[in-house]
Amino acid sequence: QKEVEQNSGPLSVPEGAIASLNCTYSDRGSQSFFWYRQYSGKSPELIMSIYSNGDKEDGRFTAQLNKASQYVSLLIRDSQPSDSATYLCAVKPNAGNMLTFGGGTRLMVKP
Amino acid sequence: DVKVTQSSRYLVKRTGEKVFLECVQDMDHENMFWYRQDPGLGLRLIYFSYDVKMKEKGDIPEGYSVSREKKERFSLILESASTNQTSMYLCASSFVAKNIQYFGAGTRLSVL
């Protein structure tokens, strides 16, 4: 069983809709959670970090964390074609300094 | 702005060659990482360093070695390149306290 699971997609949404990306993790002691965006042929760039249960908003992006359910999600409001990319969920397990990355969800926003 | 610089964007090498991939960060980060990324396999950690001259193996260290002689520089070495090492190689760095990893632009290595 993978430690960080994401649906590989592609997730296709129309322009202007809300895109919802989900991630589950297995280490119950995990404390830090990150969402990265990766355009094709480029390196991952950080979008959001979240450390506490609940919602964290930054512009059109909202990260949601539920530690009891071991679930973290990313909502993108008013999706734009420029949001089309692969979104990687990363989790810092309880021990160590490394991050565990999910396989990524490919998002396609259609005009 | 954090800057993580990888020495080459594209590299073509022959089987059996010794290959050096260099990474430099300018944020005084303690941690540095080397990943490879392949379609369908995601990001896989090769090696990790938490201090000068210190290293830990990641998930796929076989066929690779690393060197960290200075805090800002982390090198990945392919002792004898093989075709199955054709991949995108990504370097990242972070502070110990914050764990946010910042990535370089990547090196796409082809081994022929």
Side-chain angles (χ1 to χ4, degrees):
Chain A
Q1 183 188 359
K2 285 187 180 177
E3 296 176 20
V4 178
E5 296 263 14
Q6 295 181 256
N7 189 317
S8 61
L11 172 66
S12 183
V13 300
E15 183 175 354
I18 296 175
S20 178
L21 304 160
N22 304 315
C23 172
T24 58
Y25 59 94
S26 60
D27 184 343
R28 187 170 285 279
S30 298
Q31 297 295 321
S32 307
F33 307 86
F34 308 93
W35 283 100
Y36 286 82
R37 178 178 61 201
Q38 186 175 24
Y39 292 113
S40 180
K42 303 292 186 182
S43 61
E45 56 178 330
L46 181 74
I47 301 174
M48 300 274 294
S49 59
I50 186 166
Y51 305 96
S52 305
N53 276 330
D55 294 1
K56 180 181 177 184
E57 189 174 315
D58 184 0
R60 295 186 297 113
F61 299 97
T62 299
Q64 298 175 319
L65 175 61
N66 184 325
K67 289 186 180 179
S69 300
Q70 295 173 240
Y71 177 95
V72 58
S73 63
L74 180 71
L75 301 178
I76 306 175
R77 288 182 300 282
D78 189 23
S79 295
Q80 301 297 309
S82 59
D83 294 325
S84 298
T86 296
Y87 290 80
L88 302 173
C89 171
V91 175
K92 184 193 169 306
N94 193 31
N97 286 310
M98 293 172 270
L99 296 182
T100 301
F101 285 85
T105 297
R106 187 168 155 232
L107 174 66
M108 296 171 59
V109 182
K110 298 197 181 266
Chain B
D1 269 0
V2 175
K3 195 162 185 186
V4 180
T5 303
Q6 295 185 229
S7 52
S8 306
R9 287 300 312 276
Y10 302 95
L11 215 49
V12 180
K13 296 292 181 181
R14 296 279 180 199
T15 303
E17 278 193 77
K18 191 168 186 176
V19 181
F20 293 87
L21 302 182
E22 305 285 340
C23 177
V24 177
Q25 50 94 5
D26 67 356
M27 282 302 292
D28 204 35
H29 286 163
E30 299 94 350
N31 295 333
M32 295 189 76
F33 308 83
W34 275 107
Y35 295 90
R36 66 177 282 178
Q37 189 174 34
D38 302 286
L41 296 177
L43 272 171
R44 293 183 290 170
L45 181 66
I46 304 172
Y47 267 100
F48 155 58
S49 170
Y50 52 92
D51 201 351
V52 174
K53 297 190 189 294
M54 307 305 288
K55 62 185 179 186
E56 283 189 20
K57 292 180 180 179
D59 301 319
I60 51 163
E62 297 79 18
Y64 303 95
S65 62
V66 290
S67 172
R68 194 164 180 202
E69 297 296 319
K70 293 185 177 182
K71 190 175 185 179
E72 67 270 19
R73 187 180 297 269
F74 192 34
S75 302
L76 180 69
I77 303 151
L78 287 66
E79 295 289 343
S80 177
S82 63
T83 55
N84 62 12
Q85 292 178 310
T86 292
S87 186
M88 169 72 97
Y89 289 88
L90 290 161
C91 175
S93 68
S94 74
F95 286 120
V96 168
K98 291 200 85 172
N99 299 116
I100 297 174
Q101 291 187 19
Y102 297 90
F103 285 84
T107 296
R108 189 166 293 281
L109 173 67
S110 296
V111 182
L112 306 178

